[in-house]
Amino acid sequence: MKLRKKVDKVLGTALAIIMGVMVINVLWQVFTRFVMGTPSSFTDELARYLMIWVGVLGAAYISGKRLHVAIDLLPSRLNKKGQTKLKIVVNWIIIVFCLAALVIGGLRLVYITFTLKQSSPALQIPLAVVYAIIPISGILIIYYKLSDIINKQL
């Protein structure tokens, strides 16, 4: 549990920093567009990439805090033992999905964009760096779900 708290803290801090950079970035965009009359060329692209990072990392953070949206129609009809079993099954489904879609699919995307040497138009950073957050987030979600199953915090 100690490691989980550290991961939560690092992830929460990273999300706060990304949000702060995003706010400053958008404020700079507004300032350059309306005050200076010439909008900055990189801010739109940076805001888009930061939004992707916040969304994907935020999903991992919320998954770790067990605050994600859930439909409790079926669990509410089960007894305590049935609810626990259902939560274990759901967690395993999430793990398999994250492994297949986020980790494996994300790594393939990172590999392809790295191999093709694709870079962003305005910032000129490799798109592999932008997309690297997808497998990272998948690994974090898998860690959280395995931790929930092992520590029986369902």
Side-chain angles (χ1 to χ4, degrees):
M1 287 310 279
K2 223 175 185 182
L3 177 62
R4 186 177 178 128
K5 287 183 181 183
K6 287 181 182 180
V7 171
D8 284 344
K9 185 173 174 96
V10 168
L11 195 52
T13 303
L15 284 166
I17 290 169
I18 293 170
M19 282 296 294
V21 171
M22 206 161 74
V23 167
I24 292 167
N25 179 58
V26 171
L27 288 174
W28 179 253
Q29 170 69 9
V30 170
F31 176 77
T32 57
R33 176 174 289 164
F34 294 111
V35 175
M36 298 176 70
T38 54
S40 181
S41 61
F42 71 90
T43 52
D44 184 46
E45 190 174 284
L46 181 60
R48 186 178 322 120
Y49 295 151
L50 291 174
M51 183 65 79
I52 292 168
W53 277 51
V54 163
V56 178
L57 273 181
Y61 184 74
I62 291 300
S63 177
K65 294 287 187 181
R66 293 181 290 280
L67 295 173
H68 44 76
V69 176
I71 299 172
D72 66 346
L73 182 66
L74 185 58
S76 63
R77 294 182 180 186
L78 298 173
N79 60 18
K80 191 71 170 167
K81 189 175 180 180
Q83 287 178 359
T84 303
K85 287 181 182 179
L86 179 64
K87 287 178 183 177
I88 290 171
V89 169
V90 168
N91 278 345
W92 278 110
I93 291 170
I94 292 170
I95 289 168
V96 169
F97 173 79
C98 286
L99 182 64
L102 297 177
V103 177
I104 296 171
L107 285 172
R108 286 191 69 215
L109 178 63
V110 169
Y111 175 75
I112 289 168
T113 55
F114 181 76
T115 303
L116 296 175
K117 296 184 172 109
Q118 293 179 339
S119 61
S120 65
L123 295 171
Q124 291 299 309
I125 59 172
L127 286 178
V129 172
V130 175
Y131 296 144
I133 201 62
I134 297 170
I136 291 170
S137 180
I139 291 167
L140 286 168
I141 293 172
I142 290 170
Y143 165 74
Y144 281 130
K145 294 303 162 189
L146 284 174
S147 173
D148 287 345
I149 291 170
I150 291 168
N151 296 320
K152 295 183 181 12
Q153 292 187 340
L154 306 167

